[in-house]
Amino acid sequence: MAKKCFVTKDKVEEIIKDIPTPFHIYDEAGIRDNAAKVKDAFSWNKGFREYYAVKANPNPFLINILKEYGCGLDCSSLTELMLANELDVTGDKIMFSSNDTPAEEFEYAAKIGATINLDDFTHIQFLEDTIGYIPKTMSLRFNPGGVYSVSNGIMDNPGDAKYGFTKEQLIEGYKILKSKGVERFGLHSFLVSNTVTNDYYPTLAKTLFELALEIREKTGVQLDFINLSGGVGIAYQPDQTPNDIGIIGEGVRKVYEEVLVPEGMGNVSIYTEMGRFMMGPYGGLVTTAIHEKHTYKEYIGVDACAVNLMRPAMYGAYHHITVLGKEDAPLTETYDVTGSLCENNDKFAIDRKLPKIDMGDILFIHDAGAHGFAMGYNYNGKLKSAEVLLKEDGSYKLIRNAETPKDYFATFKGLGIIDGLC
Ligand SMILES: *Cc1c(COP(=O)(O)O)cnc(C)c1O
C-alpha cells in the first residue's frame, strides 16, 4: 500500500532550484485541518486546551499556525519557555512539564507565570526553596508503575519510566500543596507513546478520572484540570489505520460523563499535550539519491542522514519512503537507504522494497513533521537542514535557513577559528 505525499514532484523540483536538498517541508493545509479537528473533538469540554508539545517541532512559523486554533504550549526546558514567551504565549497558556529540572528553569517558568507540572515529590520542596513560594496553580505528574495496557495488546512500562509520582506520593503531594495555599490543582500523566488506537486517551482518562475521585476523598482537593498529555500516535506504516480524533474526543466525553459528572465534577478542564499527532504527518524530509552501492546488499546513499531524522537510527522506527515520480512503479528492488554518517545505524530504511532508484531521484521520507528536525544533532560535523512551509495557496516559504559551517563553529568563538575558516 502507498502513502500519498502532500506535495507534487513538480513543486519539489521548483523548490530545489531555490533550496537544495536535504530539507524538511511542512503542509500548512494539513496542519490547519488537523488542528481544527482537535479543537472540535473536545469542544464539549468548556476548559479544553491543547498545549502543543514544543519539543516535537519548535519552528515558530508552525507554532503560530497552531496558536490560531487556541493552542497553548507544553515546554520542558529553558529555551522552550523562552520561545513560548517570545511568541506571546504566556501565563496559563504555558504548561511546564519538565523532569530533572534545573533551578533556573523553575525560576523562569514561575517568572512568566507558566503552569508548573511537577515530575517528582521532592520537587515540591525544591521548587519552594528555589523560587521562595509555591504558585497558586500547580499540577502533579502521575506514574502508576507496572505495565499499562490499552487495547489490541498496546502497552508500555510505566514502571520502568523515570517520570512521575507514585500514587502514595501524589496523595501526600496534594495535601502538602493544599497546606501551602495552592488554589488550582491539576493532574497529568503520560503512559504510552505513539498509540495507534482510538482507545488510549479514553482508557487513560478513566484511570485519571477515577484517581481524581480518590484524590478528593483522601485529600479534599478538587482537581481543576486533568492533562492527558501526549502519546496519541500516527500511522507511520502505510497499512495502519490512523487515529480518528473525533472518536477519541467522544470516547473521553463518555468516560467524563460516566465518572466525573455524577460526582459533581463536571467542570474539570481537559488538557492535552500532543506533539506527534499535531505535526507528524504534515512534515516530510526531501532528499536526493547521490550514490548506489552493490556489495553484500544493495544500498542507496542519499544526501540526508540521521542528523536530519534520527528516529530510524534511534528506535528502528519505520518511515515510509516515496520515490517522487515513481509512485506507481513496481517495487522490484530491495534497498538499504543510507545517510553518510560513520555509523552503521544511519539508515532510513533496511531491506525496503522500492522501485528502481536512479541517481538524482528525489525521495520523500514521510511523517517527519514531529520529532524529526527537532531531534537533529551535529555528529560528524553534519549541519542541520533548511525547513520549508508549503502554504495553503500552493506557494512555499523558507522558514528556517540551513545551518552553515559558520553556525557550526560559532561556539568556538574566542579561539579565532571562525575567522580563519568562514
Ligand atoms: C514528548 C511529550 C509530549 C508529546 O508527546 P507526543 O507523543 O509527541 O504527543 C507531551 N508531554 C510531555 C511531557 C512530553 O514529554
Side-chain angles (χ1 to χ4, degrees):
M1 231 199 286
K3 250 180 189 277
K4 263 183 81 78
C5 299
F6 56 75
V7 61
T8 63
K9 183 181 182 217
D10 284 352
K11 194 76 203 176
V12 168
E13 283 174 337
E14 178 195 335
I15 297 170
I16 288 175
K17 288 200 187 104
D18 179 21
I19 302 159
T21 58
F23 57 81
H24 283 266
I25 186 164
Y26 304 107
D27 173 20
E28 178 177 6
I31 293 168
R32 285 186 181 280
D33 182 55
N34 184 63
K37 282 186 179 138
V38 167
K39 191 175 171 192
D40 193 45
F42 288 92
S43 57
W44 55 267
N45 184 259
K46 213 167 96 251
F48 173 75
R49 180 170 287 149
E50 151 69 0
Y51 289 85
Y52 168 63
V54 172
K55 76 164 189 250
N57 189 327
N59 193 298
F61 288 90
L62 304 180
I63 289 175
N64 278 335
I65 296 173
L66 294 180
K67 271 173 63 182
E68 291 180 36
Y69 299 84
C71 294
L73 295 176
D74 166 39
C75 301
S76 46
S77 70
L78 180 64
T79 47
E80 287 182 357
L81 288 167
M82 291 167 75
L83 179 68
N85 198 44
E86 192 61 29
L87 296 176
D88 284 331
V89 178
T90 52
D92 69 358
K93 284 204 150 188
I94 304 177
M95 187 64 60
F96 185 50
S97 296
S98 61
N99 70 94
D100 189 23
T101 314
E104 60 172 5
E105 301 195 355
F106 277 138
E107 275 165 12
Y108 188 78
K111 193 177 97 186
I112 63 175
T115 297
I116 294 176
N117 178 36
L118 292 180
D119 179 67
D120 185 55
F121 184 74
T122 63
H123 291 189
I124 300 174
Q125 192 63 50
F126 184 84
L127 177 66
E128 190 172 24
D129 291 345
T130 300
I131 64 172
Y133 63 97
I134 294 288
K136 294 285 176 226
T137 298
M138 286 298 300
S139 175
L140 303 180
R141 181 168 186 166
F142 172 53
N143 180 337
V147 171
Y148 196 78
S149 318
V150 185
S151 58
N152 319 324
I154 288 187
M155 61 174 76
D156 217 326
N157 282 291
D160 285 339
K162 65 174 176 169
Y163 310 107
F165 291 54
T166 67
K167 195 199 266 191
E168 293 67 34
Q169 291 172 337
L170 202 67
I171 300 290
E172 192 56 28
Y174 285 115
K175 286 183 189 162
I176 293 170
L177 293 181
K178 193 174 159 207
S179 75
K180 291 187 182 289
V182 171
E183 291 167 1
R184 233 178 127 245
F185 296 87
L187 171 64
H188 169 282
S189 199
F190 186 170
L191 301 183
V192 192
S193 246
N194 191 32
T195 56
V196 189
T197 162
N198 294 324
D199 295 339
Y200 171 60
Y201 263 3
T203 307
L204 174 66
K206 186 157 194 284
T207 303
L208 298 184
F209 295 167
E210 285 167 355
L211 180 59
L213 300 182
E214 189 179 337
I215 290 166
R216 185 174 65 176
E217 186 190 308
K218 292 189 174 155
T219 69
V221 164
Q222 173 123 337
L223 295 178
D224 295 274
F225 58 90
I226 292 179
N227 185 342
L228 303 175
S229 191
V232 178
I234 61 170
Y236 287 102
Q237 304 267 357
D239 59 358
Q240 279 177 311
T241 306
N243 285 329
D244 182 329
I245 198 67
I247 293 175
I248 292 173
E250 266 308 291
V252 175
R253 186 175 68 84
K254 197 160 156 272
V255 273
Y256 189 95
E257 284 172 3
E258 271 167 25
V259 182
L260 291 182
V261 174
E263 292 290 332
M265 285 179 69
N267 47 16
V268 173
S269 297
I270 300 299
Y271 295 163
T272 56
E273 291 174 342
M274 292 180 281
R276 193 187 312 271
F277 190 77
M278 303 306 286
M279 284 296 170
Y282 316 111
L285 174 58
V286 179
T287 182
T288 305
I290 57 172
H291 290 289
E292 56 187 308
K293 175 165 177 159
H294 318 280
T295 53
Y296 307 104
K297 297 185 92 171
E298 293 297 303
Y299 294 100
I300 293 294
V302 295
D303 60 1
C305 63
V307 157
N308 308 109
L309 177 64
M310 194 187 199
R311 298 186 69 260
M314 190 164 176
Y315 313 116
Y318 181 94
H319 279 262
H320 199 67
I321 295 177
T322 299
V323 185
L324 294 181
K326 296 185 176 174
E327 286 80 357
D328 299 320
L331 310 180
T332 52
E333 315 298 313
T334 303
Y335 292 124
D336 280 15
V337 178
T338 80
S340 57
L341 295 186
C342 304
E343 270 286 356
N344 197 41
N345 66 359
D346 184 15
K347 295 181 176 179
F348 291 113
I350 296 174
D351 297 330
R352 183 74 57 89
K353 290 273 182 215
L354 286 166
K356 169 98 179 54
I357 294 176
D358 296 297
M359 295 305 90
D361 276 356
I362 305 160
L363 278 59
F364 183 94
I365 305 181
H366 292 255
D367 301 314
H371 314 299
F373 181 99
M375 268 191 190
Y377 55 118
N378 283 115
Y379 195 50
N380 262 174
K382 293 287 174 179
L383 304 174
K384 291 181 196 162
S385 77
E387 292 183 291
V388 177
L389 181 64
L390 180 69
K391 300 215 285 188
E392 276 189 301
D393 64 7
S395 65
Y396 69 91
K397 182 183 170 79
L398 179 65
I399 57 171
R400 188 193 303 249
N401 290 315
E403 272 182 351
T404 65
K406 195 165 181 161
D407 298 314
Y408 182 79
F409 292 116
T411 44
F412 297 135
K413 245 177 181 145
L415 294 177
I417 290 179
I418 283 198
D419 303 335
L421 285 179
C422 312

